[in-house]
């Protein structure tokens, strides 16, 4: 069977699905000829990761390796199908494996085109690629150990080259900063030249004209020519391409030693001795240009990463740009913290897409270059404090001009210009380099782009607390002097009146007003704490009252696939200057089945969107944090709980323990000043701390060390574990706490960090550090009751959903104010108080284990708070330990009963519910809304149930992890096989959601 018949039988259309593609191999003409009219490309829908190349000519093993390397570099396909002739087998390769992986190891499967493989061939039908169901059968074949994306491989390769250059140049350039600048310049110039050579923009004619040797290339100049010739090449490229990367910094000839030149030249050769890739393995003529921005990570210092400076992945930048430039309107773009330029690159690509759609871009290659250069110069602007990042922004944007343009046209143009005029002026007409400023956006004296307003403002500003050091003098001046366009109590506000905890990202959100007008659209990444932290309330008040928010993407749960090393969670915001009756679309983005490598999909599920009235944020009826963990049902429950009295009405004092170690303690004990301490390395600092601990803590109690030291690990619910350390005088420590009563007598102790309070009532004298809070009550008879309440599920639920900070980050915590706002029942039923207090007392005296009384105690406390059945069940289900259901079908009975009750109340016809476990650790439940439904049954052959669901509902996207697929007269619910997904609470929520889809409103529209 020929390939056209074979793929047509699979459902592919050779006019719309499979398009002819060209692969050129300059140094391998025979391979290029073989591939002519023998390469087709299938581009998959978004978020299915099923694009593939089809190769239909006979190839040798080496030629297959060359094609795999080419496609790996191009990074636009996930698979390669090899179908050389009618009698051969169809071979399927995984396209994302490194070229160092053998052809045999890269095979995912082999198909016979005969009838014996008909069942297997079913797995590669068109609809499976369109829906993503293809991966149902094949993801398990992908070995993560073999997979490393080309972006990561390129960074690793350049890291090795950078380290080697640093070793040599650090002996010649003693100033570390200057050495780093020279290393970077050598690397980015090398990459730019490799790009021009791989594209054949500079070629034999170029080298013949300037060096009188047509056989030359960059590698040969490095190996055989002098240091002056290397600099001569840099100067020529600067003159032709108007690229200031080759002008500054000047690299002295004496630094271009034989050793340096040979090291760079070696990177252009294949590495036959190890699996380490070199620049030789990367083809810049096909490699996506935006990967250049990723190289920025090579040059980021550990300090910068600690300070919240990260490369923005393209998928996040694309999401934001698509929302911001949501109409086909070309306009100016500014990124005030441009980093390596990802937002500007994606923004420029969007403007170019609009220009093409509107027929503005010329058809000829030279006309395209002139048009694109002007489009860049007129519309793309950036500000970046770090020189390294600014250079990569310029580098990445300069390459965008050449994307999709036939290099032959450029090559011939340059050749003709040189022969006729002796110079090339193509790139001199418009220059965008001056648009990308190395400057500080927060400098209030040197105001970059002053009085200029932009159509679009995009970015991912750094997020950290501004240190009080000379290095950040501009930022400190901004805090102290920048006037905000907001009058309060007849006084003009300055930045520090609004910015919480000196957070630098909040400063950017104030500053961007200066570059905007009433029509400007904004899209920014922000640290979540700006909008969730109580210490940023003034900033939140400013933001909500000054900007009209359209969308918020809550990205806390997916930060590991966006920012691998980030400690803090982030959100993405789309907003304008127009504050009306804004309804914010809030997307709680979650990890899906395919969020891990190699897919790392960022899935935005439209059916999970929550609508928030911005005016409720302004008047503080809601906080954005309310929507972080739960949904509207949880918000309603926390609001009900919040209507009770607060703990603040029942306490007499609240306090924290002492701080062990700090500047005062160091100076008192060792005479170490702040300046001295900063100069010490980590080992010396650790030594001093150990000496301090050894002196002031003892493992045994005696007449001197007579105070038991309580750590958070000593506290468990209702129980204080024996102390392992003892202390003497509190005055030895950093902050000893002046109110000694905090430690003495009756009190409730609990931990401020972690997922549980671990509350303990103690009447002893206990000494603890600042990781522990303590509360003393006005009414001493309520200690056992309050101990039970603070250890209850209801309070842990309330804290998680409403009060706890950094829920998805390291060291989630609560503060004093949170504790005092814990709800206490309005009406304390004495009978319930007695029962709860008695159990609490028994647990404190260790008559029972908490596990023995936990359920009984929680049920009594539910009654004390007067919760309904569904409110109790919501909290019970929240604390369900996660378990797989598997074949235990009875575990789904409560879910099925509940959803049946919810739906049947509104529907005339009876419904039927059936379920089955299936591949991918999923459960599929089919709810038939019509007893005569002829759609696929859930108990069909388990291996193919998902195939049937998606084949009958072709618009469904399997990789997007859709929970509900609505058929003609049924609903399929597809969720992971985890009991928390199939609880009674989830059944109630799913039933409500289904009703919104199937019950129409008066105008005939579906209710959403």
């Amino acid at each position: 069977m020929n390939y056209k018949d074979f793929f047509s039988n699979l459902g592919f259309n050779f006019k719309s699905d499979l398009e002819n593609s060209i692969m050129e191999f300059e140094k391998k003409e025979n391979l290029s000829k073989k591939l002519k009219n023998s390469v087709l490309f299938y581009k998959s829908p978004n978020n299915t990761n099923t694009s593939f190349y089809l190769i239909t000519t006979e190839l040798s093993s080496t030629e297959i390796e060359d094609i795999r390397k080419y496609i790996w570099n191009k990074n636009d396909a996930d698979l390669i199908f090899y179908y050389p002739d009618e009698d051969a087998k169809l071979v399927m390769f995984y396209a994302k494996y490194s070229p160092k992986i053998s052809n045999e190891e890269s095979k995912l499967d082999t198909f016979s085109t005969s009838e014996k493989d008909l069942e297997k061939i079913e797995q590669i039908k068109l609809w499976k690629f369109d829906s993503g169901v293809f991966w149902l059968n094949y993801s398990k074949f992908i070995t993560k150990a073999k997979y490393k994306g080309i972006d990561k491989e390129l960074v690793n390769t350049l890291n090795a080259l950078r380290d080697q250059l640093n070793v040599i140049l650090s002996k010649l350039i003693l100033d570390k900063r200057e050495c780093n600048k020279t290393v970077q310049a050598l690397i980015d110039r090398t990459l730019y030249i490799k790009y021009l050579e791989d594209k054949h923009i500079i070629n034999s004619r170029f080298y013949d004209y300037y060096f009188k040797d047509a056989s030359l290339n960059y590698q040969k100049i490095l190996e055989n020519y002098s240091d002056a010739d290397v600099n001569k090449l840099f100067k020529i490229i600067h003159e032709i391409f108007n690229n200031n990367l080759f002008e500054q910094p000047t690299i002295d000839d004496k630094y271009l030693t034989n050793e340096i030149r040979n090291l760079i030249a070696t990177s252009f050769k294949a590495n036959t001795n190890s699996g380490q890739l070199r620049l030789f393995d990367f083809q810049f003529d096909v490699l996506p240009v935006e990967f250049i921005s990723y190289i920025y990570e090579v040059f980021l210092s550990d300090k910068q990463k600690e300070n919240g400076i990260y490369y923005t992945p393209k998928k996040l930048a694309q999401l934001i740009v698509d929302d911001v430039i949501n109409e086909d309107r070309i306009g100016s773009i500014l990124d005030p913290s441009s980093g390596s330029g990802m937002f500007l690159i994606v923004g420029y690509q969007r403007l170019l897409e609009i220009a093409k759609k509107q027929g503005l871009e010329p058809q000829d290659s030279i006309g395209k270059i002139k048009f694109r250069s002007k489009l860049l110069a007129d519309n793309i602007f950036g500000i970046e404090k770090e020189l390294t990042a600014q250079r990569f922004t310029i580098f990445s944007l300069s390459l965008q001009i050449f994307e999709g343009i036939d290099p032959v046209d450029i090559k011939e143009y340059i050749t003709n210009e040189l022969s006729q005029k002796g110079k090339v002026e193509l790139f001199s007409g418009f220059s965008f380099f001056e648009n990308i400023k190395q400057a500080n956006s927060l400098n209030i004296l040197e105001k970059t782009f002053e009085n200029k307003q932009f159509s679009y403002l995009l970015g991912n500003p750094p997020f950290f607390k501004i240190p009080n050091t000379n290095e950040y003098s501009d930022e400190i001046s901004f805090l102290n002097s920048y006037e905000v366009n907001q009058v309060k109590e007849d006084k003009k506000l300055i930045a520090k009146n609004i910015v919480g905890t000196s957070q630098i990202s909040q400063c950017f959100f104030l500053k961007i007003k200066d570059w905007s007008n009433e029509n400007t659209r904004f899209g920014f990444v922000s640290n979540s704490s700006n909008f969730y932290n109580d210490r940023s309330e003034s900033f939140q008040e400013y933001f909500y009252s000054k900007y009209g928010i359209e969308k918020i993407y809550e990205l806390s749960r997916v930060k590991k696939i966006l920012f691998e090393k980030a400690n803090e969670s982030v959100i993405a915001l789309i907003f304008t200057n127009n504050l009306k009756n804004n309804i914010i679309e809030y997307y709680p983005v979650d990890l899906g089945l395919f969020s891990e490598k190699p897919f790392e999909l960022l899935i935005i599920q439209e059916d999970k969107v929550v609508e928030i009235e911005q005016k409720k944020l302004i008047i503080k009826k809601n906080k954005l944090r309310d929507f972080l963990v739960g949904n509207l049902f949880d918000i309603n429950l926390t609001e009900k709980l919040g209507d009770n009295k607060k703990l603040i009405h029942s306490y007499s004092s609240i306090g924290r323990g002492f701080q062990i170690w700090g500047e005062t303690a160091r100076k008192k004990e060792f005479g170490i000043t702040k300046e001295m301490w900063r100069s010490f390395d980590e080992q010396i600092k650790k030594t001093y701390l150990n000496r301090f601990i050894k002196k002031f803590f003892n493992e045994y109690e005696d007449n001197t060390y007579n105070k038991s030291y309580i750590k958070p690990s000593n506290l468990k619910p209702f129980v204080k574990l024996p102390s392992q350390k003892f202390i003497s005088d509190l005055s030895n420590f950093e902050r000893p706490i002046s109110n000694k009563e905090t430690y003495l007598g009756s009190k409730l102790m609990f931990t401020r960090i972690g997922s549980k309070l671990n509350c303990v009532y103690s009447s002893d004298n206990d000494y603890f550090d600042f990781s522990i809070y303590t509360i003393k009550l006005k009414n001493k008879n309520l200690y056992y009751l309050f101990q039970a309440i603070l250890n209850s599920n209801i309070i842990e639920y309330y804290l998680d959903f409403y009060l706890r900070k950094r829920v998805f980050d390291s060291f989630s915590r609560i503060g004093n104010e949170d504790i005092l706002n814990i709800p206490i029942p309005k009406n304390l039923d004495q009978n319930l108080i007695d029962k709860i207090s008695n159990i609490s007392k028994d647990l404190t005296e260790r008559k029972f284990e908490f596990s023995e009384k936990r359920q009984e105690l929680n049920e009594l406390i539910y009654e004390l708070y007067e919760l309904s059945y569904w409110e109790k069940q919501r909290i019970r289900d929240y604390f369900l330990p996660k378990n797989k259901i598997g074949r235990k079908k009875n575990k789904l009975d409560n879910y099925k009963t509940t959803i049946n009750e919810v739906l049947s109340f509104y529907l005339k016809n009876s419904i039927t519910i059936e379920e089955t476990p299936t591949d991918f650790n999923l459960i599929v439940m089919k709810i038939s809304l019509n007893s005569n439904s002829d759609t696929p049954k859930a108990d069909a052959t388990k291996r193919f149930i998902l195939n049937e669901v998606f084949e009958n509902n072709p618009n469904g996207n399997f990789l997007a992890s859709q929970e509900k697929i609505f058929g003609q007269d049924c609903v399929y619910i597809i969720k992971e096989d985890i009991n928390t997904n199939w609880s009674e609470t989830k059944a109630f929520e799913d039933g409500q959601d289904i009703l919104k889809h199937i019950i129409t409103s008066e105008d005939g529209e579906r209710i959403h």
Side-chain angles (χ1 to χ4, degrees), residues 394-406:
I394 291 172
F395 185 7
S396 302
L397 286 169
S398 65
L399 298 187
Q400 290 291 323
I401 295 170
F402 301 112
E403 279 297 282
I405 291 178
D406 189 343

Side-chain angles (χ1 to χ4, degrees), residues 93-230:
F93 297 97
Y94 185 53
K96 299 289 190 182
Y97 282 152
S98 161
K100 294 294 180 182
I101 303 297
S102 70
N103 290 341
E104 191 60 36
E105 289 180 289
S106 297
K107 285 182 185 177
L108 286 186
D109 211 343
T110 304
F111 305 85
S112 166
T113 58
S114 63
E115 290 190 5
K116 69 175 185 178
D117 264 1
L118 282 180
E119 183 179 314
K120 205 172 172 185
I121 289 168
E122 286 289 318
Q123 298 170 4
I124 55 173
K125 284 198 166 183
L126 170 63
W127 70 265
K128 295 198 176 187
F129 289 90
D130 283 344
S131 66
V133 171
F134 166 84
W135 290 114
L136 178 65
N137 300 298
Y138 285 105
S139 70
K140 59 181 175 288
F141 292 105
I142 298 173
T143 308
K144 291 182 183 178
K146 293 180 188 175
Y147 172 78
K148 188 176 284 186
I150 183 173
D151 48 358
K152 300 286 198 312
E153 291 281 22
L154 182 55
V155 164
N156 289 342
T157 300
L158 291 173
N159 253 325
L161 179 59
R162 181 201 62 178
D163 291 345
Q164 292 170 310
L165 288 170
N166 259 323
V167 168
I168 302 169
L169 281 170
S170 61
K171 299 172 185 175
L172 303 173
I173 308 174
L174 299 181
D175 186 308
K176 188 175 180 181
R177 192 179 181 89
E178 290 303 311
C179 181
N180 287 338
K181 282 169 64 175
T182 303
V183 169
Q184 185 196 339
L186 283 171
I187 288 179
D188 60 37
R189 291 176 191 184
T190 293
L191 293 177
Y192 193 82
I193 294 170
K194 177 167 171 54
Y195 177 86
L196 294 176
E197 288 190 342
D198 284 356
K199 281 276 194 183
H200 317 303
I201 293 170
I202 60 175
N203 58 5
S204 56
R205 298 177 192 175
F206 170 90
Y207 285 107
D208 184 45
Y209 182 87
Y210 284 107
F211 292 90
K212 309 306 179 188
D213 185 348
S215 67
L216 270 188
N217 57 29
Y218 183 45
Q219 178 189 331
K220 289 180 180 179
I221 287 179
L222 290 166
E223 289 175 329
N224 304 321
Y225 278 62
S226 70
D227 44 23
D229 286 311
V230 176

Side-chain angles (χ1 to χ4, degrees), residues 422-436:
K423 60 181 180 179
V424 180
E425 296 178 326
L426 173 60
F427 301 94
S428 60
F430 302 98
S431 175
F432 73 92
F433 300 118
E434 288 301 313
N435 294 357
I436 312 300

Side-chain angles (χ1 to χ4, degrees), residues 315-316 553-564 569-570 588-592 595 601-604 808:
K315 56 192 159 199
L316 179 55
Y553 296 99
E554 166 46 57
L555 304 170
S556 301
R557 299 170 180 84
V558 294
K559 69 176 183 179
K560 71 177 184 178
I561 67 170
L562 295 174
F563 305 101
E564 291 181 358
S569 295
V570 298
V589 185
D590 212 341
L591 292 171
S595 295
L601 294 182
L602 181 63
I603 303 297
I604 309 300
F808 296 110

Side-chain angles (χ1 to χ4, degrees), residues 344-394:
L344 295 179
I345 291 165
V346 177
Y348 175 70
Q349 290 172 346
R350 174 71 178 116
L351 297 186
L352 191 56
E353 175 190 318
I354 295 169
K356 290 177 179 178
K357 190 185 293 186
Q358 295 177 350
L360 301 176
E361 186 181 54
Q363 295 301 306
D364 65 292
S365 295
I366 305 308
K368 286 179 189 289
I369 289 174
K370 291 178 179 178
F371 175 82
R372 293 179 181 186
S373 299
K374 186 176 188 306
L375 189 68
L376 263 176
D378 289 348
N379 295 291
I380 301 300
F381 299 83
I383 306 172
E384 175 51 48
K385 184 178 178 181
E386 297 287 335
L387 175 64
T388 301
Q390 181 235 11
R391 287 180 66 86
F392 272 112
T393 298
I394 291 172

